[in-house]
Amino acid sequence: MNNLPVPPTEEELHAYVDGALDASRRAEVEAYLASHPDVAGQVARWRRDVDFLRTELAGTVTRPPQPRLDPAAVRRRLRARSRVRMAAAAAFFLAIGAGGLSGWQLRSMNLAPAPMADAVEAYRVFATDRNRPVEMGAENVDHLQQWLSNRLGTSVSFPDLRSEGFDLLGGRLLATAEGPAALIFYQDRDGERVSLYIRPNKHYSEGTRGTRNDGGLLAKYWYRRGYGYAVVAKASDPRIEELEAALQLGS
């Protein structure tokens, strides 16, 4: 004959902590806990919580009854909140999974990158460098122009922007997924800088042009004869339109 105690439900365990079980069932629960120390430990923690709450509320006898502060009610609310959190977490991971699948689907479509996003990032990295924004300065402009032209495989020229208040600062060579890129900086008397960025074009059709506004920077870009060009400056600079027109003439 099997005389082992019947395992109590969670509700019965909470009732045991609250002293709400009849004597017979209480004895069975105690017998079960005696042989299951892990469950007994959990019950002991619940009891300590109950004792703490009762101690905290001991000085409030003059107040009207507060059903929401009953230890059993508090635990029930905590359990309900836990179930809500678990449901929310499950929904979150399902959404992440669906998003990941969509991301792989988009990646498989081989979408072209955002137009001239690398031009904006190049400006962001080097325009604020007050020590070495360029590899080669404007004092050797002929050599710089020939060096960048040879690397890019197309003629690179430096339009004169002095009428717009900018002097040639110099340039540098960068590597991109599309091939070598030239980054050329101009600077005005206040130290504000504008860049001309040139690299091969493998994604956009001839004549495509547009504007990117990214984190306080403005890029005017166009594609011509197999290359992409971008003028990048601070979005607040009112001279960007004139600079774009002048630099397009030289491309």
Side-chain angles (χ1 to χ4, degrees), residues 2-13:
N2 187 358
N3 294 320
L4 292 175
V6 177
T9 65
E10 184 177 349
E11 292 298 329
E12 285 182 312
L13 289 174

Side-chain angles (χ1 to χ4, degrees), residues 71-90:
V74 171
R75 288 200 306 278
R76 284 194 295 272
R77 289 199 299 274
L78 290 175
R79 290 200 304 276
R81 289 177 187 173
S82 177
R83 287 192 292 269
V84 170
R85 291 193 193 101
M86 291 178 65

Side-chain angles (χ1 to χ4, degrees), residues 20 36 97 120-121 123-124 156 178 212:
H36 293 80
V120 176
E121 291 307 313
Y123 182 98
R124 185 169 282 124
V156 175
E178 312 299 324
R212 284 180 56 81

